[in-house]
Every structure is written in C-alpha cells, then in structure tokens.
Amino acid sequence: MKKILMVLVLGGCLLSGSLLIAGADKKEAAQAYDEDTYGPEAPIVWVKPVKSVVFEHKIHTMDAGLACDSCHDDLFEMESGAAEEKDDFTMATLYKGGYCGSCHDGSTSFASNTRCASCHIGVRGHDRLNNKGGTATKSH
Amino acid sequence: MRIDDLEQMESEDVNTLPSVERRALLKFGLAVTGMYLGGSILSLATVRNAHGSTIVPEVGKYPYSPHYSMVIREKRCIDCELCKEACAKTNHVPKYGFRTTILEKRRALEGNKFETTFMPVLCNHCNNPPCVRVCPTTATWKDKKTGIVGIFKPSFCIGCKTCVTACPYNARYFNEERRVIDKCDFCFESRLSKGGTITACAEACPADVRVFGNLADPASRVFKLVHTPETIVWVLRPETGAIPNVFYINA
C-alpha cells in the first residue's frame, strides 16, 4: 500500500514538473521573434570604415518599440550593407545627426560619442560572432 | 617506589618554583615576542620609502629626456586593431607574436547586460624593468637617454626567455625566424631613430586612444593628459614596483 502511494506521489511530482516546463515553452513561443514584424534576427555587422560594428534589429524594434519606417528608407536603405559602402558612413556624420546619430544624440538615446564599445564589438567580437560557441581563434 | 617515599619527596609543581626562575622564563618569552613585534613595527616604518601611491612622476622629476611614454585613453578603444596591423607592418611582427595587443574586459550590468571595455597593452618601458634585471647577456637594455626598453644588442640574445617570464606585462615574444626575443621599442628602430616622432600604433589609431610623447616636456600632450586636474590615472600592475611608463586614463 505504502509503495503504491509513493509511486503515485512521485508520478504526480514528475507530471507537474513536465507540465510546468511545457508551459514555459509555450510562453517563450508566444514571445518568439517575428522577422516580418521586427526585421532580420541575425545581427548586422559593419566592417567599414573600421572593424566591427554590430546592429541588432531586436533591440531596436522588439525591445525599444521602433517601427521599420523610423529608420528605413530615410536613414538606412533596406538593402543590407548599403550604408557601409558610402563615404560618409563615419562617426563625424553620426555626430551631425546622420545614420545612427539621428537617435543616438544624447537625448533620444545615448550619444554616439559615448559608450563606444556598446556597438563597436571590434575584431574580437567579430571573430566571436563568426564562430559561435567556439572559442576565439586569437591566442592573445 | 613506595607511596610513603613519594610523599617525602619535594614537590615539582609550579607553586614551589623559585620566583627567579619564573622571571627568567617570562623574560625569555617577552624577548621572543618583542623581537617579532619589533620586526613588524620596523617594517611598517620602512613603508614610507616605498612611494606606492605615486604612479605619475612628479613634475620635474622625470629620469629621462626625452622621457617617452604613452597615454591610453582606454574607454575610447573600439578594438579595430588598426594599431596592431600598423605595428606588425612597421616592425615586421610575425603572426604568432605581438608587440602590442588589445585585451577585453567584461563587466556585468543589471538585467543580464554587460559592458565591454577594450584595453590596449604594450611594453610599459618601466623605469625599473624586471626584464632588464634578469637578462644574463645584457642583450636587452633600458636606454639611458630615452628610457626605452629594447633588445639593443640582438646578437647577444641567447633566447633563454628569462625576460619573457620576468615581464609583468607579457610584452615579449620569441621571434622564431630571427632567433631573438622581440618586443615593442616605441618604434625606436623603425621610426624614432630615423627622425620620426610618433609610434606606428599611435599614428594608426582612428579613435585617438594612444597618445605618444615626451612626458618630460610640459608642452606635450602626454604631459597635459596625465597632469590634468580630476583625471584618474592608473597603470597596470603597480604592485610589481616596475614603475611603468604607459598610463591609462578615461578622459
């Protein structure tokens, strides 16, 4: 009798556990990233004029609530990599309110001449993105 | 021995010890304690000569002229590594070695975020260089005029790598091709000795992180940067007593 009770209690615990996990999965699924609404999920990495700057649509659209037309097509063309082909894609332009500097001006969001390494991931960050999970290939 | 005989014997417990003997023991104990105590008091007193708090030399007390140094404006570094490229090109640094490199620090912020800081490192051209002290052949030397630490006599280098181990900043590597230790010499051989005034890395830096110059010259930018009021200036591993000449600021 005792054994049967034990099995029942254990079974109950396991069942509720699995239900909880399933519930969590469902919750996550509800918050899934929708590329059609929020833009490409993969980070945009610019390597010109310097290596490397990262931009994530998720942070700006899904998290910050910006709409696509906040930046496209006035500040940035839809085509990826179009901006970095232009000669004026520099910090100097950003300080004058161009490209990212349109919002990163110190009032809407942090100014472009502060918190450099928030966007500049450098050569190290670039390498890390390129071999996800693997350790950086650089020895130093 | 019988119990009756035992009762007749003189007691050896502490109550019967003569006071002279007790005093002698106490004196001995105090002497031992006093010696250790005196020692620690002495070493506390000598700390005054260590100058541990002064990272930046006092104005007018620069041992070299020109006193070459570099100021790293750390938070501006974006790890574009143009400095590394320029250095490797100028000084023929092989892929496996480095004269300067960029380290990365990560600090956790609230809400699963983190802040990245890139930290350029190079030879600190210490005033008291541990690498020079250990070199058995005097191949590496601190130039008496400029204070630059370099392998000024490469033919003397036997590749024992003792200096590599001694350096607190990991600023040296063994050049396999030349069979000589190689390190940053503030571009002395490639530029300064040929009339240049700036290192390749400082020239290549697009973010104005690396400022190179003569610390002994009050008109120089390095002097102004490290002597600006309310600027926090720090050096790497000050506890080694090497007295480095690469200063870090966040201004």
Side-chain angles (χ1 to χ4, degrees):
Chain A
M1 187 61 202
K2 237 182 181 177
K3 266 190 186 166
I4 294 168
L5 206 79
M6 193 75 153
V7 167
L8 272 174
V9 169
L10 251 171
C13 285
L14 284 172
L15 193 73
S16 59
S18 61
L19 276 175
L20 273 173
I21 291 167
D25 276 352
K26 231 181 199 174
K27 213 175 171 188
E28 219 159 74
Q31 284 184 339
Y33 187 85
D34 178 17
E35 293 204 333
D36 291 333
T37 317
Y38 299 126
E41 189 172 12
I44 310 275
V45 180
W46 292 297
V47 293
K48 282 188 247 176
V50 291
K51 280 186 185 171
S52 293
V53 178
V54 73
F55 172 86
E56 288 194 39
H57 275 99
K58 184 175 180 290
I59 293 171
H60 292 83
T61 54
M62 191 172 161
D63 299 349
L66 294 172
C68 305
D69 62 6
S70 303
C71 306
H72 300 299
D73 282 308
D74 291 343
L75 294 169
F76 289 95
E77 285 174 37
M78 280 282 192
E79 191 193 342
S80 73
E84 67 181 334
E85 295 305 327
K86 293 180 181 161
D87 290 338
D88 69 341
F89 192 50
T90 61
M91 291 308 293
T93 310
L94 265 60
Y95 300 154
K96 289 179 206 147
Y99 300 110
C100 318
S102 178
C103 294
H104 285 283
D105 55 1
S107 53
T108 312
S109 187
F110 70 87
S112 334
N113 62 349
T114 60
R115 297 172 57 181
C116 314
S118 299
C119 312
H120 284 271
I121 56 170
V123 176
R124 280 169 170 272
H126 195 163
D127 288 352
R128 205 156 34 221
L129 275 182
N130 283 348
N131 49 11
K132 266 184 190 164
T135 47
T137 48
K138 291 155 60 111
S139 53
H140 293 290
Chain B
M1 191 175 278
R2 288 201 324 240
I3 194 95
D4 299 336
D5 294 341
L6 263 178
E7 274 174 357
Q8 297 303 314
M9 285 182 75
E10 202 181 327
S11 167
E12 282 180 20
D13 92 13
V14 284
N15 291 322
T16 59
L17 268 179
S19 55
V20 181
E21 232 165 284
R22 279 198 216 177
R23 225 174 272 169
L25 183 76
L26 271 174
K27 266 188 191 163
F28 175 69
L30 279 175
V32 170
T33 323
M35 212 151 82
Y36 281 106
L37 200 64
S40 59
I41 285 171
L42 263 177
S43 43
L44 276 176
T46 53
V47 166
R48 201 190 308 167
N49 300 326
H51 297 298
S53 57
T54 50
I55 289 163
V56 182
E58 281 173 48
V59 179
K61 285 189 180 171
Y62 303 99
Y64 306 97
S65 180
H67 189 118
Y68 285 126
S69 73
M70 191 175 281
V71 176
I72 310 265
R73 304 166 76 200
E74 189 183 73
K75 74 174 175 190
R76 301 173 62 94
C77 180
I78 51 171
D79 186 40
C80 66
E81 302 197 357
L82 291 178
C83 52
K84 275 187 82 170
E85 284 173 28
C87 173
K89 209 178 150 201
T90 309
N91 301 302
H92 314 291
V93 181
K95 277 230 151 62
Y96 56 81
F98 70 93
R99 283 182 171 213
T100 182
T101 191
I102 316 284
L103 304 180
E104 186 182 31
K105 292 186 281 190
R106 282 186 170 209
R107 187 167 66 112
L109 304 177
E110 53 170 353
N112 258 349
K113 289 176 182 166
F114 59 84
E115 179 188 65
T116 307
T117 312
F118 296 112
M119 181 166 79
V121 291
L122 67 161
C123 170
N124 281 254
H125 297 275
C126 311
N127 283 0
N128 186 17
C131 56
V132 168
R133 198 173 66 227
V134 298
C135 179
T137 64
T138 69
T140 192
W141 200 249
K142 186 166 175 70
D143 186 46
K144 283 200 169 74
K145 186 168 176 278
T146 60
I148 289 174
V149 176
I151 324 289
F152 293 118
K153 289 186 277 186
S155 60
F156 277 43
C157 179
I158 54 170
C160 69
K161 299 176 187 135
T162 316
C163 57
V164 178
T165 327
C167 175
Y169 302 103
N170 190 23
R172 294 168 162 260
Y173 74 95
F174 184 68
N175 189 307
E176 306 278 351
E177 290 74 35
R178 293 170 53 221
R179 310 299 295 169
V180 165
I181 298 290
D182 190 40
K183 66 176 285 295
C184 163
D185 62 351
F186 272 159
C187 285
F188 184 78
E189 205 184 313
S190 54
R191 290 170 143 247
L192 299 187
S193 63
K194 294 172 184 165
T197 53
I198 188 170
T199 63
C201 57
E203 193 177 73
C205 181
D208 199 21
V209 175
R210 294 166 184 256
V211 184
F212 175 77
N214 174 10
L215 195 61
D217 175 13
S220 71
R221 223 175 133 215
V222 281
F223 179 93
K224 284 175 183 164
L225 284 172
V226 297
H227 290 104
T228 304
E230 298 194 347
T231 305
I232 296 170
V233 182
W234 71 97
V235 294
L236 304 181
R237 306 193 71 184
E239 73 281 3
T240 59
I243 316 179
N245 279 307
V246 174
F247 303 98
Y248 291 77
I249 59 172
N250 253 346

PDB file of all heavy atoms in Angstrom, chain A residues 29-41:
ATOM      1  N   ALA A  29       7.283  30.615 -26.780  1.00  0.00           N
ATOM      2  CA  ALA A  29       6.811  30.575 -28.160  1.00  0.00           C
ATOM      3  C   ALA A  29       5.967  31.807 -28.467  1.00  0.00           C
ATOM      4  O   ALA A  29       6.017  32.349 -29.568  1.00  0.00           O
ATOM      5  CB  ALA A  29       6.016  29.302 -28.409  1.00  0.00           C
ATOM      6  N   ALA A  30       5.222  32.266 -27.453  1.00  0.00           N
ATOM      7  CA  ALA A  30       4.351  33.412 -27.666  1.00  0.00           C
ATOM      8  C   ALA A  30       5.187  34.672 -27.920  1.00  0.00           C
ATOM      9  O   ALA A  30       4.742  35.573 -28.628  1.00  0.00           O
ATOM     10  CB  ALA A  30       3.446  33.611 -26.457  1.00  0.00           C
ATOM     11  N   GLN A  31       6.405  34.715 -27.306  1.00  0.00           N
ATOM     12  CA  GLN A  31       7.254  35.891 -27.474  1.00  0.00           C
ATOM     13  C   GLN A  31       8.257  35.715 -28.605  1.00  0.00           C
ATOM     14  O   GLN A  31       9.210  36.464 -28.702  1.00  0.00           O
ATOM     15  CB  GLN A  31       8.030  36.149 -26.179  1.00  0.00           C
ATOM     16  CG  GLN A  31       7.164  36.769 -25.096  1.00  0.00           C
ATOM     17  CD  GLN A  31       7.987  37.097 -23.881  1.00  0.00           C
ATOM     18  OE1 GLN A  31       9.048  36.547 -23.687  1.00  0.00           O
ATOM     19  NE2 GLN A  31       7.493  38.001 -23.066  1.00  0.00           N
ATOM     20  N   ALA A  32       8.043  34.719 -29.456  1.00  0.00           N
ATOM     21  CA  ALA A  32       9.020  34.415 -30.495  1.00  0.00           C
ATOM     22  C   ALA A  32       9.237  35.637 -31.384  1.00  0.00           C
ATOM     23  O   ALA A  32       8.345  36.453 -31.578  1.00  0.00           O
ATOM     24  CB  ALA A  32       8.547  33.242 -31.334  1.00  0.00           C
ATOM     25  N   TYR A  33      10.447  35.706 -31.920  1.00  0.00           N
ATOM     26  CA  TYR A  33      10.816  36.842 -32.746  1.00  0.00           C
ATOM     27  C   TYR A  33      10.236  36.663 -34.130  1.00  0.00           C
ATOM     28  O   TYR A  33      10.444  35.636 -34.774  1.00  0.00           O
ATOM     29  CB  TYR A  33      12.342  36.924 -32.789  1.00  0.00           C
ATOM     30  CG  TYR A  33      12.853  38.156 -33.469  1.00  0.00           C
ATOM     31  CD1 TYR A  33      12.989  39.338 -32.758  1.00  0.00           C
ATOM     32  CD2 TYR A  33      13.212  38.134 -34.808  1.00  0.00           C
ATOM     33  CE1 TYR A  33      13.467  40.473 -33.375  1.00  0.00           C
ATOM     34  CE2 TYR A  33      13.685  39.264 -35.428  1.00  0.00           C
ATOM     35  CZ  TYR A  33      13.817  40.442 -34.706  1.00  0.00           C
ATOM     36  OH  TYR A  33      14.289  41.556 -35.326  1.00  0.00           O
ATOM     37  N   ASP A  34       9.494  37.649 -34.587  1.00  0.00           N
ATOM     38  CA  ASP A  34       8.894  37.582 -35.914  1.00  0.00           C
ATOM     39  C   ASP A  34       9.671  38.497 -36.855  1.00  0.00           C
ATOM     40  O   ASP A  34       9.619  39.721 -36.734  1.00  0.00           O
ATOM     41  CB  ASP A  34       7.418  38.008 -35.835  1.00  0.00           C
ATOM     42  CG  ASP A  34       6.765  38.000 -37.211  1.00  0.00           C
ATOM     43  OD1 ASP A  34       7.342  37.366 -38.126  1.00  0.00           O
ATOM     44  OD2 ASP A  34       5.701  38.622 -37.363  1.00  0.00           O
ATOM     45  N   GLU A  35      10.389  37.889 -37.779  1.00  0.00           N
ATOM     46  CA  GLU A  35      11.267  38.662 -38.669  1.00  0.00           C
ATOM     47  C   GLU A  35      10.492  39.621 -39.570  1.00  0.00           C
ATOM     48  O   GLU A  35      11.005  40.664 -39.960  1.00  0.00           O
ATOM     49  CB  GLU A  35      12.135  37.715 -39.510  1.00  0.00           C
ATOM     50  CG  GLU A  35      13.142  36.947 -38.690  1.00  0.00           C
ATOM     51  CD  GLU A  35      14.335  36.490 -39.503  1.00  0.00           C
ATOM     52  OE1 GLU A  35      14.174  36.301 -40.722  1.00  0.00           O
ATOM     53  OE2 GLU A  35      15.420  36.330 -38.917  1.00  0.00           O
ATOM     54  N   ASP A  36       9.239  39.249 -39.909  1.00  0.00           N
ATOM     55  CA  ASP A  36       8.453  40.120 -40.777  1.00  0.00           C
ATOM     56  C   ASP A  36       8.073  41.409 -40.061  1.00  0.00           C
ATOM     57  O   ASP A  36       7.947  42.466 -40.671  1.00  0.00           O
ATOM     58  CB  ASP A  36       7.184  39.392 -41.248  1.00  0.00           C
ATOM     59  CG  ASP A  36       7.531  38.259 -42.205  1.00  0.00           C
ATOM     60  OD1 ASP A  36       8.585  38.370 -42.869  1.00  0.00           O
ATOM     61  OD2 ASP A  36       6.772  37.271 -42.267  1.00  0.00           O
ATOM     62  N   THR A  37       7.874  41.304 -38.742  1.00  0.00           N
ATOM     63  CA  THR A  37       7.486  42.482 -37.966  1.00  0.00           C
ATOM     64  C   THR A  37       8.692  43.277 -37.517  1.00  0.00           C
ATOM     65  O   THR A  37       8.698  44.501 -37.540  1.00  0.00           O
ATOM     66  CB  THR A  37       6.700  42.040 -36.714  1.00  0.00           C
ATOM     67  OG1 THR A  37       5.785  41.023 -37.093  1.00  0.00           O
ATOM     68  CG2 THR A  37       5.957  43.215 -36.102  1.00  0.00           C
ATOM     69  N   TYR A  38       9.741  42.533 -37.069  1.00  0.00           N
ATOM     70  CA  TYR A  38      10.852  43.196 -36.378  1.00  0.00           C
ATOM     71  C   TYR A  38      12.135  43.300 -37.193  1.00  0.00           C
ATOM     72  O   TYR A  38      13.107  43.879 -36.728  1.00  0.00           O
ATOM     73  CB  TYR A  38      11.153  42.453 -35.071  1.00  0.00           C
ATOM     74  CG  TYR A  38       9.997  42.441 -34.106  1.00  0.00           C
ATOM     75  CD1 TYR A  38       9.510  41.242 -33.593  1.00  0.00           C
ATOM     76  CD2 TYR A  38       9.406  43.634 -33.680  1.00  0.00           C
ATOM     77  CE1 TYR A  38       8.458  41.227 -32.691  1.00  0.00           C
ATOM     78  CE2 TYR A  38       8.349  43.617 -32.787  1.00  0.00           C
ATOM     79  CZ  TYR A  38       7.872  42.419 -32.291  1.00  0.00           C
ATOM     80  OH  TYR A  38       6.850  42.409 -31.415  1.00  0.00           O
ATOM     81  N   GLY A  39      12.163  42.740 -38.373  1.00  0.00           N
ATOM     82  CA  GLY A  39      13.391  42.775 -39.175  1.00  0.00           C
ATOM     83  C   GLY A  39      14.236  41.551 -38.921  1.00  0.00           C
ATOM     84  O   GLY A  39      13.964  40.779 -38.008  1.00  0.00           O
ATOM     85  N   PRO A  40      15.296  41.388 -39.729  1.00  0.00           N
ATOM     86  CA  PRO A  40      16.129  40.179 -39.624  1.00  0.00           C
ATOM     87  C   PRO A  40      16.648  39.953 -38.208  1.00  0.00           C
ATOM     88  O   PRO A  40      17.024  40.908 -37.529  1.00  0.00           O
ATOM     89  CB  PRO A  40      17.299  40.477 -40.573  1.00  0.00           C
ATOM     90  CG  PRO A  40      16.845  41.558 -41.449  1.00  0.00           C
ATOM     91  CD  PRO A  40      15.778  42.313 -40.746  1.00  0.00           C
ATOM     92  N   GLU A  41      16.630  38.691 -37.802  1.00  0.00           N
ATOM     93  CA  GLU A  41      17.064  38.386 -36.432  1.00  0.00           C
ATOM     94  C   GLU A  41      18.597  38.410 -36.309  1.00  0.00           C
ATOM     95  O   GLU A  41      19.133  38.815 -35.291  1.00  0.00           O
ATOM     96  CB  GLU A  41      16.545  37.005 -36.010  1.00  0.00           C
ATOM     97  CG  GLU A  41      16.776  36.737 -34.533  1.00  0.00           C
ATOM     98  CD  GLU A  41      16.106  35.455 -34.054  1.00  0.00           C
ATOM     99  OE1 GLU A  41      15.652  34.654 -34.899  1.00  0.00           O
ATOM    100  OE2 GLU A  41      16.053  35.263 -32.836  1.00  0.00           O
TER     101      GLU A  41
END
